[in-house]
Amino acid sequence: MFANLLTAAATFATAGALTAPAFAAEPWPSRPIRIVVPYAPGNTGDITFRFIQPQLEKQFGVRFLIDNKSGASGNIGADEVVRAQPDGYTFLLGATNNFVTNQFLFRNMRFDPLKDLMPVALLSNAPSVMIVNSTLPVSTLKDFTEMARQSPSKLNYGSPGNGTPPHLAGELYSQLAKVQLTHVPYRGSPPAVAGLLGSEIQLYITAFSSVAGNVAGGKLKALAVASDQRLAILPDVPTTREQGLPDLLTGNWWGMAAPAGTDPAIIDKMSAAIKAALSDPAVRKQYADIGVTAVGNSPTEFGAQIAKEAVAWKQVIDRAQIQPE
């Protein structure tokens, strides 16, 4: 399996280049472009794409239509894009799990994201923040780790469900810090936050946007940002690297991809347009204000990141023997 993933790392970014059909009958784009978001409206990817949507529409002269296709942790929407005509009029705006982790969690997935999707660009990254109830007598990540070591399996961490990014983040922390925590899956993020507020769980590793109000209100507190850099919205909260766990880097990023076989020239044009939109200071501030970092990399860079993370997360999933609900 690892050999296949490493091979994919070298070829993923150029997948479909030799098989791309010629769409010379009409200039691209000449009609609206559909962006499939494989989750219900209101998710981070949905919101952040809308920040750059006007610029993309102005640059290409066509409308960009967001099509929310939720279900099966994003597999339904992603599968629809994989099976779409590779003509440059259907793109996937997916999260980390759609490109990286779902393939190791769902045995009935009908596609391989490393082979059946062509990366366009990484739009945003929302580093996870380690959140605890303000009544918990800890002030740093080191404090929490020491508490967990003194009480093996007695501290709980929550997630929106088995196999979700917060679940995987909790397992990664447990493995790196060598602590034993008990996982408590909830049916969505709001119930998990409620569980943290009610002290049913002691830790929730999630995007800051889902807990921002309660942190601002003093009910919850952030111990660490699971990133190489501090969040602009949390300048006083140190990173996991600063607190002795440099490999505890996790979050939920959103990126765009197209069906394999799409003309590489279209991929490059879309990637360049996204990068230009994300370089706008006003857009970058919109992202920062909700705890998200604007990225905008190349198809090659995005493809290499996907393949690299697939190898790393497969190890975490295999060690923890995680299966979705």
Side-chain angles (χ1 to χ4, degrees):
M1 184 65 170
F2 276 13
N4 293 338
L5 290 171
L6 292 173
T7 299
T11 62
F12 182 43
T14 57
L18 299 180
T19 60
F23 294 97
E26 60 182 20
W28 180 89
S30 58
R31 51 191 169 90
I33 294 173
R34 183 168 70 120
I35 307 298
V36 176
V37 180
Y39 301 96
N43 58 72
T44 302
D46 190 288
I47 294 169
T48 53
F49 181 78
R50 293 179 191 277
F51 290 157
I52 65 172
Q53 186 176 0
Q55 292 194 35
L56 296 180
E57 291 182 338
K58 181 178 180 180
Q59 177 165 335
F60 289 114
V62 298
R63 293 184 63 197
F64 279 69
L65 307 176
I66 297 177
D67 188 3
N68 295 97
K69 295 282 186 178
S70 62
S73 293
N75 288 340
I76 291 176
D79 184 76
E80 183 168 319
V81 173
V82 165
R83 299 177 187 284
Q85 183 74 16
D87 55 6
Y89 290 97
T90 301
F91 290 84
L92 171 70
L93 180 60
T96 309
N97 56 303
N98 303 125
F99 295 101
V100 175
T101 57
N102 279 4
Q103 61 187 312
F104 309 122
L105 294 168
F106 292 88
R107 296 179 181 178
N108 61 346
M109 272 185 60
R110 300 192 299 174
F111 65 94
D112 182 343
L114 295 170
K115 297 178 180 178
D116 298 326
L117 290 169
M118 295 179 68
V120 176
L122 183 65
L123 274 70
S124 64
N125 181 42
S128 293
V129 181
M130 304 185 73
I131 305 293
V132 299
N133 192 298
S134 293
T135 61
L136 199 69
V138 297
S139 300
T140 66
L141 177 56
K142 182 179 179 180
D143 292 340
F144 186 88
T145 300
E146 290 179 353
M147 177 182 289
R149 287 173 179 167
Q150 292 171 6
S151 305
S153 301
K154 291 185 179 181
L155 296 184
N156 303 328
Y157 76 94
S159 80
N162 288 334
T164 58
H167 180 195
L168 300 181
E171 288 295 341
L172 179 61
Y173 165 63
S174 298
Q175 292 175 17
L176 293 174
K178 296 180 172 56
V179 297
Q180 297 176 27
L181 303 176
T182 299
H183 174 228
V184 179
Y186 292 87
R187 293 188 178 276
S189 184
V193 173
L196 186 61
L197 290 167
S199 296
E200 295 175 355
I201 57 176
Q202 286 69 52
L203 176 67
Y204 188 32
I205 306 177
T206 185
F208 182 67
S209 58
S210 65
V211 294
N214 286 303
V215 171
K219 295 179 180 179
L220 301 177
K221 59 185 174 183
L223 296 183
V225 177
S227 174
D228 284 328
Q229 298 180 342
R230 297 190 182 194
L231 280 175
I233 200 170
L234 294 172
D236 298 326
V237 178
T239 66
T240 47
R241 178 179 294 278
E242 291 176 273
Q243 298 189 69
L245 286 177
D247 295 325
L248 182 52
L249 305 175
T250 182
N252 193 31
W253 46 255
W254 288 82
M256 186 177 290
T262 301
D263 186 345
I266 291 177
I267 298 292
D268 290 340
K269 288 179 182 178
M270 181 65 79
S271 180
I274 290 172
K275 184 175 182 178
L278 292 174
S279 67
D280 185 332
V283 171
R284 299 185 76 86
K285 184 179 185 304
Q286 286 179 305
Y287 276 50
D289 286 346
I290 61 171
V292 173
T293 301
V295 185
N297 56 10
S298 70
T300 299
E301 292 168 334
F302 185 27
Q305 177 177 339
I306 292 170
K308 180 180 178 181
E309 290 194 16
V311 173
W313 281 114
K314 183 180 187 302
Q315 293 177 337
V316 174
I317 292 168
D318 288 347
R319 286 172 188 158
Q321 299 181 337
I322 298 172
Q323 292 295 326
E325 296 173 319

